[in-house]
Amino acid sequence: MKNFRFVVLLTAILAVLPVLNAKAQTSVVLQPFLSGLSSPLFLTHAKDGSNRIFVVQQRGIIKVVQPGSTTPTDFINLSTKVSQSGSERGLLGLAFHPQFASNSYFFVNYTRSSDGATVIARYNAINNNTVGDLASEKIILIIPQDFSNHNGGMIEFGPDGHLYIGMGDGGSGNDPNNRAQDINSMLGKMLRITPSLAATPPVPAYTNPPDNPYVNLPGLDEIYAIGLRNPFRWSFDRGGTNMLWAGDVGQNAIEEIDVVVKGGNYGWRVYEGNNCTNIDPGLCTPSNFLPPVTTYTHSGGRCSVTGGYVYRGTAGTFPQGTYIFGDYCSGDLYIWNGSQALPLFDTARNISSFGEDQSGEIYLVGLGGTVEKFVNTNPVFNSVNADFDGDGKTDVSVFRPSTGTWYSLNSSNGQAQIRQFGATGDVPAPEDYDGDGKTDVGIFRPSTGTWYNFRSLDNTVGIVTFGTTGDVPTAGDFDGDSKADIAVFRPSNGNWYILKTTDGQAQITNFGLNGDIPTAGDYDGDGKNDIAVFRPSNGVWYQLSSRMVGFSAVQFGASGDIPATGDYDGDGRNDQAVFRPSTGTWYSLRSGNSSVSISQFGADGDIPAAGDYDRDGREDLGIFRPSSGIWYVFRSFDSTVYAAQFGASGDLPAPHYDAR
């Protein structure tokens, strides 16, 4: 698999950063999962809720593994159709239709035995979708190849429901026929089509999305992006903004990471990484091409990048949003953490692919016949609000002011905890004050300006006088040390007072007016809370970035709305969001793509209590209904509604207060 080029991106095309010498700090290990396979090239799942795992073998057999089993069986055998010659030919890709559970369609990408042309074909699964029907093949697309190498191979349905096809430049070296820059060739491209689902497909057996970049213009309508050398392995981020991360294999010197966007030109054969190849020196104008997010050289035995996945699992294997990739030749593994690429650890594998299961956990596929699962001996759960048991999920929890009692329903074991901590008139201020990954019960007493918190790390009580009557508690991690700082917003003068845990110094910042509602949160994705307010009088959000890039103002909401900020799209940044009690409607402005999401979930009188109740890295819509003491949560992971009777009239939902 030498010539499999690489791409890695994340939130936007930011800058080209070298892989650093520093190692990523991690307790991730590889756990054996399968062995004895024959040249496995890819691992995936059917998106049908069955939790089965499918493994593509290069010579034509797709294996299936049932949940809880480590013994694969044959799902379909295409060996009679697949080319058995050439190190880069064979059965290269598999994609299940988004409605596979009901329509039984799956698609494959293989180089056919007669001439090595790329074939995209549709098959049916039979016997309750347990096996594939060899006789059901319907050819969707055939693409002739110039040489035996650089066939691409990955196919996948995007979040838009269309089928994406990664095509190499046709082979040999240096793209001798200049396919990658030729908009009248399908080679060296990312294609996007809508395959026919008809029992007898028409000719051609697909249509082209009308917003493909060359529709009604010179160039092939199937093209989505150009200038790729060999995008052998790539994937869509299943969270955040669903970006397409691709590994595009380099020529002789440089491997690169790209985010592929519609209409993008990624430079090959004019550029290898950021370097002009001098094959077409007159075209070496950097502004005409999209640069990679990061690159690495062929030092240390590295030679061919293998694209991976953005982690969106629920086991805490990696921090949410981490991109994992590797090098085929050296077996080195890397992570992209949103700002830089770091070596993870080395393996003895020829890394042919990565894979993702139904729950978002990631696997490593070795061409020598192995599949291993990434596991973490010390799981990493992103900090979430009202997580009293430290499992990375928001817990259903309330503070009862009449008795100063906390009640929490732990998501880890379903057990209820009761703590007497506080008094009538106290304002709940739950946060992780000790940095142990668990939310501590805490209150602010306006009558004395005193904070009390019970630290879960060592079961001690912290008492600090910081504030005065009329202040609004806004505790959060403003200095980025993973511990909540005591903080208040003073409406009378618009000042924020923050007592930082890093140095014990108080920071005073004037930002806001009387009547504003403090909505501190990490809006810029740097791991620190930003000072922010929502102004009900005009429905405007104002944020002061901790990155020292000034303040921003966003019109989103109306008088009477209740701000409910949180990371609803999973990109690591808080979104502006409001709950409108008059209609029971949620409005969120997604930071990843500036889209607006509107959901009717709740009723007048409900208290918004958004949180990550399902541990998928995204905020779930949640409300507490004081009239009945019932919680309703719309879980983003599987779009199901959870309801629980937990609390009483007059109780204050802890996630609502921790969200500040």
Side-chain angles (χ1 to χ4, degrees):
M1 305 295 164
K2 158 67 182 75
N3 290 316
F4 290 156
R5 184 183 177 187
F6 155 111
V7 179
V8 184
L9 306 111
L10 192 106
T11 306
I13 299 173
L14 300 172
V16 179
L17 298 173
V19 174
L20 305 183
N21 291 325
K23 285 280 186 181
Q25 299 299 312
T26 181
S27 50
V28 174
V29 297
L30 287 172
Q31 181 183 84
F33 182 69
L34 298 175
S35 61
L37 298 169
S38 175
S39 300
L41 288 185
F42 184 53
L43 178 150
T44 190
H45 61 96
K47 304 181 180 69
D48 62 351
S50 69
N51 292 309
R52 293 176 294 171
I53 287 176
F54 297 81
V55 180
V56 174
Q57 297 187 144
Q58 187 175 8
R59 298 310 172 203
I61 299 176
I62 298 175
K63 296 285 189 178
V64 61
V65 184
Q66 302 299 326
S69 173
T70 56
T71 303
T73 58
D74 286 3
F75 177 69
I76 194 169
N77 188 336
L78 304 176
S79 57
T80 59
K81 298 175 177 293
V82 172
S83 172
Q84 303 293 319
S85 64
S87 63
E88 296 185 25
R89 288 178 170 175
L91 179 60
L92 304 179
L94 166 67
F96 290 89
H97 191 271
Q99 282 78 53
F100 171 74
S102 57
N103 66 26
S104 303
Y105 289 141
F106 64 96
F107 296 75
V108 297
N109 178 338
Y110 64 85
T111 53
R112 67 183 175 190
S113 56
S114 59
D115 59 0
T118 289
V119 175
I120 308 298
R122 190 192 82 196
Y123 283 86
N124 286 39
I126 55 176
N127 298 339
N128 294 320
N129 288 347
T130 58
V131 295
D133 179 8
L134 184 62
S136 67
E137 183 180 62
K138 305 295 182 185
I139 302 298
I140 303 298
L141 177 64
I142 297 175
I143 304 173
Q145 293 284 352
D146 293 338
F147 301 94
S148 65
N149 58 339
H150 300 188
N151 301 295
M154 182 79 184
I155 57 174
E156 186 58 86
F157 283 91
D160 54 12
H162 303 301
L163 183 66
Y164 289 69
I165 305 166
M167 293 301 304
D169 65 8
S172 188
N174 292 314
D175 192 6
N177 295 321
N178 198 20
R179 302 295 194 187
Q181 292 297 319
D182 182 0
I183 60 175
N184 292 302
S185 169
M186 292 190 189
L187 300 176
K189 311 295 190 303
M190 185 66 69
L191 308 177
R192 182 175 69 156
I193 64 174
T194 307
S196 171
L197 301 183
T200 302
V203 179
Y206 62 90
T207 57
N208 297 301
D211 63 334
N212 273 1
Y214 296 98
V215 172
N216 298 322
L217 294 172
L220 296 179
D221 291 353
E222 294 86 351
I223 293 174
Y224 183 77
I226 73 172
L228 298 166
R229 184 174 179 273
N230 194 27
F232 173 62
R233 288 291 172 251
W234 45 267
S235 65
F236 288 97
D237 180 356
R238 67 195 290 174
T241 56
N242 304 125
M243 282 190 168
L244 196 170
W245 294 68
D248 195 16
V249 182
Q251 177 70 38
N252 293 315
I254 300 172
E255 305 299 311
E256 69 179 64
I257 303 297
D258 302 310
V259 167
V260 179
V261 298
K262 183 174 65 177
N265 185 341
Y266 294 86
W268 179 252
R269 67 182 186 179
V270 181
Y271 281 90
E272 181 184 9
N274 291 292
N275 289 3
C276 181
T277 62
N278 289 314
I279 299 173
D280 303 291
L283 300 179
C284 285
T285 303
S287 60
N288 291 339
F289 308 99
L290 292 178
V293 167
T294 191
T295 63
Y296 68 83
T297 67
H298 286 190
S299 61
R302 298 174 295 189
C303 77
S304 179
V305 71
T306 303
Y309 288 83
V310 175
Y311 182 73
R312 300 293 180 184
T314 59
T317 308
F318 298 95
Q320 288 287 319
T322 301
Y323 182 79
I324 299 93
F325 61 98
D327 187 86
Y328 168 79
C329 297
S330 67
D332 293 344
L333 295 170
Y334 303 98
I335 61 172
W336 172 267
N337 64 8
S339 60
Q340 61 185 12
L342 294 172
L344 186 62
F345 54 80
D346 303 338
T347 75
R349 305 288 181 239
N350 289 128
I351 303 173
S352 58
S353 187
F354 295 82
E356 188 181 48
D357 66 17
Q358 185 90 35
S359 65
E361 295 306 310
I362 297 178
Y363 298 74
L364 180 74
V365 181
L367 187 65
T370 59
V371 172
E372 294 156 297
K373 183 178 182 179
F374 287 95
V375 297
N376 197 326
T377 57
N378 185 23
V380 181
F381 296 126
N382 286 19
S383 178
V384 300
N385 55 326
D387 177 17
F388 293 97
D389 54 8
D391 67 346
K393 296 181 182 180
T394 297
D395 300 315
V396 169
S397 46
V398 297
F399 173 65
R400 187 164 294 168
S402 61
T403 60
T405 307
W406 294 76
Y407 300 86
S408 62
L409 185 61
N410 289 350
S411 54
S412 58
N413 57 19
Q415 299 298 308
Q417 286 194 1
I418 304 174
R419 305 178 182 90
Q420 208 292 320
F421 194 81
T424 300
D426 290 345
V427 180
E431 288 286 352
D432 182 7
Y433 293 95
D434 53 21
D436 68 346
K438 298 180 182 179
T439 299
D440 305 311
V441 297
I443 57 95
F444 173 66
R445 188 162 292 167
S447 60
T448 61
T450 305
W451 293 72
Y452 300 86
N453 57 73
F454 185 82
R455 293 178 288 220
S456 57
L457 180 65
D458 54 11
N459 296 325
T460 59
V461 176
I463 304 174
V464 178
T465 298
F466 192 78
T468 188
T469 300
D471 288 350
V472 180
T474 58
D477 184 11
F478 292 89
D479 54 14
D481 67 349
S482 299
K483 297 180 183 179
D485 305 308
I486 289 172
V488 297
F489 171 65
R490 188 163 295 166
S492 60
N493 60 13
N495 280 349
W496 291 69
Y497 300 86
I498 302 170
L499 185 62
K500 295 190 173 181
T501 55
T502 49
D503 56 14
Q505 299 298 307
Q507 171 188 317
I508 304 174
T509 303
N510 183 265
F511 195 80
L513 300 174
N514 200 354
D516 290 349
I517 300 174
T519 54
D522 186 7
Y523 295 91
D524 54 19
D526 67 348
K528 301 178 183 179
N529 268 19
D530 305 308
I531 291 172
V533 298
F534 172 67
R535 188 162 294 166
S537 61
N538 59 9
V540 176
W541 296 68
Y542 300 90
Q543 288 113 33
L544 183 63
S545 173
S546 57
R547 292 180 183 269
M548 306 303 290
V549 294
F551 81 94
S552 61
V554 178
Q555 166 72 54
F556 195 76
S559 180
D561 288 350
I562 302 174
T565 183
D567 183 9
Y568 292 88
D569 56 11
D571 69 348
R573 295 178 288 170
N574 273 33
D575 307 310
Q576 288 87 14
V578 297
F579 173 67
R580 188 162 294 167
S582 60
T583 60
T585 305
W586 293 73
Y587 301 86
S588 61
L589 180 62
R590 306 300 170 92
S591 55
N593 58 12
S594 298
S595 65
V596 176
S597 176
I598 303 174
S599 302
Q600 208 290 323
F601 192 77
D604 198 0
D606 291 345
I607 301 174
D612 187 2
Y613 294 87
D614 53 16
R615 204 171 63 193
D616 70 345
R618 293 176 288 173
E619 215 81 359
D620 305 310
L621 307 183
I623 59 99
F624 172 65
R625 187 162 292 167
S627 61
S628 61
I630 296 179
W631 292 71
Y632 298 92
V633 176
F634 184 80
R635 294 181 287 211
S636 56
F637 179 69
D638 56 9
S639 299
T640 60
V641 176
Y642 166 81
Q645 167 72 53
F646 196 79
S649 180
D651 289 350
L652 304 176
H656 176 74
Y657 288 86
D658 195 6
R660 290 179 176 172

